[in-house]
Amino acid sequence: MARLTVRDLSLSGKRVFIRVDFNVPIINGQITDEGRIIAALPTIRYALEQGASVILASHLGRPKGIGYQEDFSMAPVLGRLREIFGDKVKFSEDVIGENAENASAALAPGEILLLENLRFHPGEKKDDGEFAAALKKLADLYVNDAFGTCHRAHASVHALPSLFEHPAAGFLVEKEIHYFDEILKNPARPYVVVLGGAKVSDKIPVIQHLMGNVDRILIGGAMAYSFLKASGVNVGNSMVEEDRLEMAANLMEQAAELQLPMEFPQDHVAADSFDNPKEIIITAGEEIPDGYMGLDIGPETIVRYEGILAQAETVLWNGPMGVFEDERFAVGTLSVAETLAESDATSIIGGGDSAAAVRKAGLADGITHISTGGGASLAYMSGEKLPGIEILAQKGEEK
């Protein structure tokens, strides 16, 4: 059954608690990437246009301890929201309690109240019922538009919505559900999954879950070296998870039994050092000489992967092909991004570093969907039930 969305709620004259993901990077008090704020605007604007007042709540960073901490304050976010919405944006330094309740009660339709960092209160991460009950006093309706937190059973995404009769999804969460839960269950074929990043351990559950539905898996990034070593290939000084080699070998056996092609780099861009390389080489094959470490997929692999992706109808990508932060080792990642941006296939980027790489390359407009969740995307791709989504009401059912 489809989840209830903000469109299904009667918003006029109501106070709407919207759990947003404003966990944005901030350096010296300045927001360096406002993507998550921009992504939440459609839901916020819709609620305001329908005659609601809006309470916005988010965490920011990982405060140590409890109570106010300047480095993790929502103040920079408040400044950006006021640039967008003007003086209709109010601020509560308290997350719960009399001051927050009074500020919420004073809101007129069309006004916004931003709460201070939810994680300043210990009840948030503990999924505390009393904390959730105190938050509920601020609003009449609940909407979750913070997909990036849906894999965590924290109070604002789990205990709190359980207290409302019809907790609903915002447009952003609705879109994530559409692509991860609906499109990928019945994909247009060929359906190709591209996996990269540092750790094979992060992707093992993803591979296990997708094996029965995908047509081909392309592997890159440091995780490829664990698979290659498990196959008996010399990978030199490349990063390898020694305690995952047996599992990597088992995955390759399972893929073979299913006749599922798993593609690994046929050549590599390798260097004698990660931090300060003095020599960078392109290997002649899949072997990496001793004294060198793989840092990107090589040109032959790029050509092969581009050819496979060009024929795909659905592509799911999570994790870069190399150390994309260094332009010398970013070619493989950029080639995947460019191929998908030029393709007519349905392309879904599972958040994290691959999403950052696509944005860095200026190719975001060519991608069908870029997820806003890193850990949440991985959890969804692994077949896990996300607490923040499971708690939302379903259409046609009263909670």
Side-chain angles (χ1 to χ4, degrees), residues 102-224:
N102 289 340
S104 173
L107 288 176
E111 291 187 332
I112 297 169
L113 175 65
L114 174 68
L115 303 181
E116 186 52 281
N117 192 337
L118 288 166
R119 289 190 182 174
F120 286 171
H121 195 287
E124 168 65 1
K125 293 180 71 173
K126 294 179 181 178
D127 199 22
D128 182 73
E130 290 186 8
F131 177 58
L135 285 174
K136 186 180 184 297
K137 293 179 180 180
L138 305 180
D140 307 305
L141 300 169
Y142 176 91
V143 172
N144 186 348
D145 214 26
F147 178 72
T149 66
C150 282
H151 61 306
R152 297 189 178 103
H154 289 178
S156 62
V157 298
H158 187 251
L160 175 60
S162 73
L163 302 177
F164 287 85
E165 185 177 6
H166 296 116
F171 296 138
L172 190 60
V173 167
E174 179 189 31
K175 187 177 180 184
E176 300 276 8
I177 293 172
H178 171 69
Y179 281 106
F180 280 107
D181 204 31
E182 298 172 20
I183 296 296
L184 294 185
K185 281 185 177 177
N186 297 288
R189 298 187 182 276
Y191 172 24
V192 177
V193 171
V194 184
L195 296 175
K199 294 183 177 180
V200 66
S201 54
D202 290 342
K203 304 301 193 306
I204 285 172
V206 177
I207 296 172
Q208 290 173 325
H209 179 66
L210 294 176
M211 269 186 170
N213 190 37
V214 67
D215 297 309
R216 192 177 293 266
I217 298 176
L218 311 184
I219 303 292
M223 64 177 287

Side-chain angles (χ1 to χ4, degrees), residues 30-97:
Q30 299 297 314
I31 298 171
T32 58
D33 183 351
E34 62 177 20
R36 288 177 174 173
I37 295 175
I38 301 303
L41 294 181
T43 297
I44 297 170
R45 285 180 169 140
Y46 176 81
L48 297 176
E49 290 165 359
Q50 296 299 308
S53 54
V54 168
I55 295 91
L56 299 178
S58 176
H59 74 285
L60 179 62
R62 297 178 178 177
K64 292 178 170 53
I66 60 175
Y68 176 81
Q69 297 165 52
E70 184 177 0
D71 288 347
F72 299 101
S73 173
M74 299 297 293
V77 175
L78 173 65
R80 183 66 186 104
L81 289 175
R82 283 180 171 163
E83 289 175 0
I84 297 170
F85 293 104
D87 61 6
K88 67 173 64 174
V89 182
K90 317 300 178 183
F91 185 60
S92 174
E93 295 179 356
D94 296 326
V95 175
I96 58 172

Side-chain angles (χ1 to χ4, degrees), residues 274-298:
F274 175 80
D275 295 321
N276 187 28
K278 294 181 175 60
E279 186 178 8
I280 298 174
I281 64 171
I282 296 173
T283 66
E286 62 183 357
E287 301 265 349
I288 299 175
D290 292 337
Y292 292 87
M293 60 194 308
L295 296 173
D296 195 9
I297 58 176

